[in-house]
Amino acid sequence: GCVDELRGAMGLAIDGEYCFVADTYNQSVVIFNWRDGTFVQRIGKAGDAPEMHDDEYGEHYWDLVAYDDDRKSAEQGQFHEPYDVAVRNKLLYVSERGGRRIQILRLPDDLSAADPEVLQIIPSPGGVELAGICLDGERLWCVGAP
């Protein structure tokens, strides 16, 4: 399967000329230059996406209660269903529905030449699935999945 398409993009954030997209069912965050429409980088575990093989009911593989995807990961800098993103001051905040955590990553000066550095992982209180995330002044807000 290819990862040239977004699969279940749930959240996005803009910072300068860059657009960060939580590509939930590709288990990654994708960065685009929105000014010129170019792909910059995909953050997450590399690998092939599951085949789409939508069933006769029109459901995608991710609509199943459980689905296999070798790219789901609990490792730092990799994701398990990233749901939303926020960016400020060279920091990328990623909420994970399946991973039940928030990762905070420091973005490199040249996004196309280097990977971000994981600074902190915040586990979800009570282990609930996470969804939307935003920054308000010095506070980080995140809500549970619908």
Side-chain angles (χ1 to χ4, degrees), residues 20-123:
F20 299 80
V21 180
D23 191 5
T24 303
Y25 299 108
N26 272 324
Q27 316 303 333
S28 62
V29 173
V30 184
I31 306 170
F32 297 97
N33 181 315
W34 66 267
R35 291 186 197 270
D36 62 19
T38 57
F39 170 84
V40 176
Q41 182 182 23
R42 180 178 294 278
I43 305 167
K45 185 177 179 182
D48 290 333
E51 294 298 323
M52 290 295 280
H53 298 301
D54 298 338
D55 68 15
E56 65 270 15
Y57 303 108
E59 294 180 344
H60 301 295
Y61 66 85
W62 57 78
D63 291 330
L64 303 173
V65 173
Y67 63 95
D68 292 326
D69 188 338
D70 292 336
R71 299 165 305 154
K72 291 180 191 175
S73 178
E75 297 295 318
Q76 292 187 3
Q78 298 177 5
F79 307 103
H80 182 171
E81 297 178 355
Y83 197 91
D84 203 4
V85 290
V87 182
R88 181 186 297 150
N89 299 327
K90 293 281 201 186
L91 297 178
L92 172 64
Y93 302 80
V94 183
S95 64
E96 296 176 59
R97 183 170 66 191
R100 294 173 166 85
R101 63 184 181 173
I102 297 170
Q103 291 195 59
I104 303 173
L105 302 95
R106 182 189 331 271
L107 298 170
D109 290 332
D110 183 353
L111 287 173
S112 63
D115 292 330
E117 170 193 5
V118 177
L119 297 179
Q120 185 176 2
I121 295 177
I122 304 168

